[in-house]
Amino acid sequence: MTLGAAVAAVCGTEPRRATPLIGGCIAEVYRLDFDDRPPLVAKVAAPNGSGGGLAIEGFMLDYLAEKTALPVPATRHVSEELLLMDYVEHGPGRSAAAEVDAAERLAALHGITAREYGFERDTVIGALPQPNSWTENWCDFYREQRLLVIGLIARESGRLPAETHRRLERFCLQLENFIDQPPAPGLVHGDVWSGNVLFGESRVAAFIDPAIYYADPEVEIAYIELLSTFGAAFHRRYRELRPLRPGYEEGRRDVYNLFPLLVHTEICGPPYAQMVQDILTRYG
């Protein structure tokens, strides 16, 4: 079935134009323009894909729309093969006012708490699995369901050298020396890089492609700093609303960046593997 026919089966009308957009890891992405309705975004699973990624993405967007005030695109159809959502108008850049809005939005998101770390179902980050079994202890969760899981995936693919993987396993045995138990698990978007934030003139128009779970919210801030998603206006406002705990800059930031660096190692290879190695060397 063609994309136009698949969309028509859901919407009752076929798009007059499908324009490719820059997409993620699990699908082809198009802007769909119609004669009789506002535009949509279509994500179409690759023919050789494992399935499930788009359905999980749709679930996460719906969860954020229903449970939080974070701006996300409204979904119109969710399945493993096709995800349809509203097209969100946005601009090419970010302003200081929009960064302040992003800080306020994410601070509010991080203030939504759960009794334990994890989530009600496993999710994904890009095309990679993200297990989320509820865990009372944050260090146990971060070690067992983040670092060791993605570390093994990157090792088995050959992108993470065997010696670096062994050092990661040894480091995980002493993880309690570097991270503490936060006051409460907070809901995080999980993948806040510049491509996943759509800006309006003075606000965030939408956050897209979430990888949600309940975590130490500082993992989100460390990731944002690693990828330079936002500038000084964001960080200043966020810290006004949610001051970071002592020890973040001295060590937790690097430890929290091991996970996204391992993800990028699996996706992109050697440069990120070296960054993982550098952090492990720094902390013994």
Side-chain angles (χ1 to χ4, degrees):
M1 182 182 294
T2 66
L3 173 59
V7 172
V10 174
C11 300
T13 183
E14 191 165 328
R16 60 178 167 80
R17 182 171 61 242
T19 306
L21 300 174
I22 296 174
C25 302
I26 63 174
E28 297 176 345
V29 187
Y30 300 90
R31 171 177 167 151
L32 306 179
D33 289 288
F34 301 81
D35 291 323
D36 58 350
R37 63 175 297 158
L40 298 175
V41 169
K43 286 195 168 185
V44 184
N48 60 348
S50 58
L54 292 181
I56 294 172
E57 181 179 343
F59 169 85
M60 291 190 288
L61 288 170
D62 288 343
Y63 185 93
L64 290 170
E66 294 168 8
K67 307 289 187 182
T68 82
L70 200 73
V72 296
T75 63
R76 302 300 175 182
H77 175 77
V78 177
S79 72
E80 293 186 357
E81 295 78 28
L82 178 66
L83 174 61
L84 296 177
M85 64 193 106
D86 288 352
Y87 178 83
V88 177
E89 296 291 345
H90 58 282
R94 67 192 189 205
S95 64
E99 289 203 355
V100 168
D101 182 58
E104 293 172 350
R105 301 277 193 176
L106 287 175
L109 183 72
H110 298 163
I112 299 172
T113 60
R115 297 182 64 180
E116 295 184 327
Y117 299 92
F119 197 60
E120 61 188 62
R121 63 175 291 177
D122 293 345
T123 55
V124 293
I125 181 164
L128 298 174
Q130 190 164 260
N132 288 316
S133 296
W134 291 114
T135 306
E136 182 178 359
N137 182 275
W138 165 243
C139 185
D140 290 345
F141 178 89
Y142 188 62
R143 173 174 48 235
E144 301 295 332
Q145 299 189 65
R146 290 297 179 265
L147 296 183
L148 291 179
V149 167
I150 194 63
L152 182 60
I153 290 172
R155 174 66 199 115
E156 289 182 340
S157 72
R159 294 180 175 88
L160 186 70
E163 175 55 30
T164 304
H165 183 244
R166 286 191 290 269
R167 296 191 70 168
L168 175 66
E169 291 183 312
R170 292 196 298 269
F171 176 80
C172 284
L173 294 175
Q174 53 178 332
L175 191 59
E176 288 88 349
N177 295 333
F178 302 104
I179 65 175
D180 59 1
Q181 183 78 348
L187 185 60
V188 298
H189 174 282
D191 197 6
V192 182
W193 67 285
S194 59
N196 286 347
V197 186
L198 307 181
F199 287 103
E201 184 175 340
S202 60
R203 62 180 178 82
V204 173
F207 290 87
I208 61 175
D209 294 349
I212 57 177
Y213 66 106
Y214 287 88
D216 179 352
E218 289 183 358
V219 300
E220 192 111 273
I221 302 306
Y223 187 51
I224 287 168
E225 290 191 290
L226 176 69
L227 299 182
S228 300
T229 308
F230 303 119
F234 170 89
H235 293 287
R236 182 168 53 250
R237 181 57 176 152
Y238 184 90
R239 284 161 173 77
E240 289 173 355
L241 297 169
R242 294 184 61 91
L244 303 183
R245 305 189 308 280
Y248 168 78
E249 294 183 355
E250 293 77 10
R252 280 198 309 278
R253 175 171 55 194
D254 286 343
V255 175
Y256 286 162
N257 278 333
L258 278 173
F259 173 63
L261 288 172
L262 286 164
V263 169
H264 281 73
T265 296
E266 173 59 16
I267 296 171
C268 304
Y272 294 99
Q274 183 59 53
M275 295 173 74
V276 171
Q277 176 69 32
D278 291 344
I279 290 176
L280 294 174
T281 300
R282 194 176 311 139
Y283 294 99

